[in-house]
DNA sequence: CCGACAACCTGTGAGC
DNA sequence: TGCTCACAGGTTGTCG
């Protein structure tokens, strides 16, 4: 899936088409995603106007006003999800699970692995449990070296899987965790609690820069990711270590290595990262 | 509380 | 060609 940059690129692509537009309704073909799609989604959305499209971590939040009542349409793309516009009446393919119908076009949610999520949150209700547990936004001003230093004290877990823990900090997925640590010169195997203050001060901008660069590049596109307008991203070619096991390090004469952490592949250069 | 792991799904590529 | 296996961008729940 989309990590934070891809979701942000998607959001920005959506914005000009969707903001201020009125939703005619929703067609749910597959109610069984990671969580059940609300059976009354069509009734909730019909007649609402999309006042804004926001992002929290990897969740897209469509702020809907009017209709049967204000609320937020929550969409997560999971591992393999995408959103794109198709002309009204376009036949649905195998993994096209939900259509959001506008007057001039349809925004179609497609997700082969069905790890994604489409939910409705009525205005005034307590924050959705999925959102309530989310950690800090890595592109916010609150994400500082001081914060990271304090947040990692006493943590024995390796820093790489910890960076991917959305309860701590949101949006950093498997690709950008490896890339950020390479940029900061920190070994993914190092216990998070044993990273000193100065290196935390270095890691924060490394993460921020990695994510910002990816957003600027238009997001990555490995396999499933598609821009909201159907175009493919292009950050993938710029990966320094991710998916480069056995290849030469871009910075030194060393060789990129691969290891498994928490069931996920990690890539790093043992010569550059300690 | 913390950390490791299985589970949820389908598609793809490698190897036999 | 066709089978099996490992693995893929995420997150939750469970267990020790």
């Amino acid at each position: 899936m989309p990590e934070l940059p891809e979701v942000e690129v998607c959001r920005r692509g959506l914005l000009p088409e969707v903001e201020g537009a009125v939703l005619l309704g929703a067609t749910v073909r597959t109610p069984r995603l990671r969580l059940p799609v609300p059976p009354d989604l069509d009734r909730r959305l019909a007649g609402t106007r999309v006042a804004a499209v926001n992002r929290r971590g990897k969740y897209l939040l469509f702020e809907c006003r009017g209709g049967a009542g204000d609320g937020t349409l929550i969409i997560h793309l999971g591992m393999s999800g995408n959103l794109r516009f198709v002309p009204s009446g376009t036949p649905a393919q195998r993994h096209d699970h939900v259509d959001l119908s506008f007057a001039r076009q349809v925004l179609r949610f497609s997700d082969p692995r069905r790890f994604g999520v489409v939910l409705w949150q009525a205005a005034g209700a307590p924050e959705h449990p999925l959102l309530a547990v989310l950690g800090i936004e890595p592109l916010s001003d609150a994400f500082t070296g001081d914060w990271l230093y304090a947040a990692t004290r006493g943590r024995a877990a390796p820093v790489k899987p910890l960076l991917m823990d959305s309860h701590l900090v949101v949006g950093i997925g498997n690709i950008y965790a490896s890339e950020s640590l390479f940029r900061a010169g920190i070994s993914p195997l190092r216990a998070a609690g044993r990273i000193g203050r100065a290196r935390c001060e270095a890691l924060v901008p490394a993460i921020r820069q990695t994510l910002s660069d990816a957003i600027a590049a238009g997001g990555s596109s490995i396999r499933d990711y598609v821009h909201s307008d159907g175009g493919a991203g292009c950050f993938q070619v710029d990966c320094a270590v991710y998916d480069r096991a056995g290849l030469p390090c871009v910075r030194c004469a060393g060789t990129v290595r691969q290891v498994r952490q928490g069931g996920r592949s990690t890539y790093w250069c043992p010569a550059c990262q300690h």
Side-chain angles (χ1 to χ4, degrees), chain A residues 245-263:
Chain A
L247 296 176
C249 172
V250 298
R251 273 197 51 220
C252 75
T255 301
V256 175
R257 294 222 291 158
Q258 176 178 5
V259 70
R260 228 145 158 87
Q261 292 182 293

Side-chain angles (χ1 to χ4, degrees), chain A residues 1-214:
Chain A
M1 143 180 182
E3 302 187 26
L4 185 150
E6 288 75 18
V7 177
E8 179 60 21
V9 168
C10 180
R11 186 186 76 85
R12 293 180 188 182
L14 246 33
L15 226 42
E17 296 292 324
V18 157
E19 218 169 36
V22 172
L23 272 159
L24 304 182
T27 303
V28 180
R29 297 186 195 82
T30 316
R32 291 174 61 95
L33 301 180
R34 190 180 109 215
L35 296 172
V37 179
D40 60 351
L41 187 68
D42 178 61
R43 191 175 62 74
R44 297 286 195 178
L45 288 178
T48 63
R49 192 179 60 84
V50 181
V53 182
N54 298 316
R55 179 187 57 74
R56 177 76 173 95
K58 298 169 188 169
Y59 291 88
L60 287 168
L61 309 174
F62 295 69
E63 303 301 339
C64 303
R65 302 283 176 265
D70 295 357
T72 306
L73 174 69
I74 303 171
I75 296 184
H76 191 291
L77 300 177
M79 285 272 236
S80 55
N82 67 68
L83 284 169
R84 61 190 165 162
F85 290 104
V86 297
S88 306
T90 304
Q93 309 283 307
R94 180 154 152 68
H95 300 298
D96 295 343
H97 306 308
V98 177
D99 280 0
L100 304 174
S101 299
F102 294 90
R104 299 179 56 241
Q105 59 193 341
V106 166
L107 184 58
R108 181 159 281 176
F109 174 76
S110 184
D111 182 10
R113 292 178 76 177
R114 286 194 268 140
F115 290 166
V117 143
V118 177
L119 297 169
W120 175 259
Q121 167 87 20
E127 186 179 28
H128 196 283
L130 285 179
L131 304 179
V133 298
L134 293 181
I136 195 169
E137 286 285 338
L139 296 180
S140 72
D141 291 341
F143 186 59
T144 63
D146 272 352
W147 182 92
L148 185 63
Y149 182 77
T152 51
R153 287 318 88 186
R155 303 299 295 263
V159 59
K160 191 263 190 171
L162 209 61
L163 284 183
M164 294 174 63
D165 183 354
S166 61
H167 301 99
L168 195 72
V169 49
V170 296
I172 307 173
N174 202 39
I175 294 180
Y176 301 130
S178 284
E179 292 296 308
S180 298
L181 287 165
F182 174 76
R183 195 188 283 251
I186 297 171
S187 166
L189 308 175
R190 174 171 292 271
R194 306 201 47 186
I195 297 176
R197 189 174 283 277
R199 310 191 78 202
C200 284
E201 295 287 351
L203 181 51
V204 163
I207 290 168
R208 214 179 252 131
Q209 201 61 50
T210 299
L211 298 177
S212 303
D213 286 357

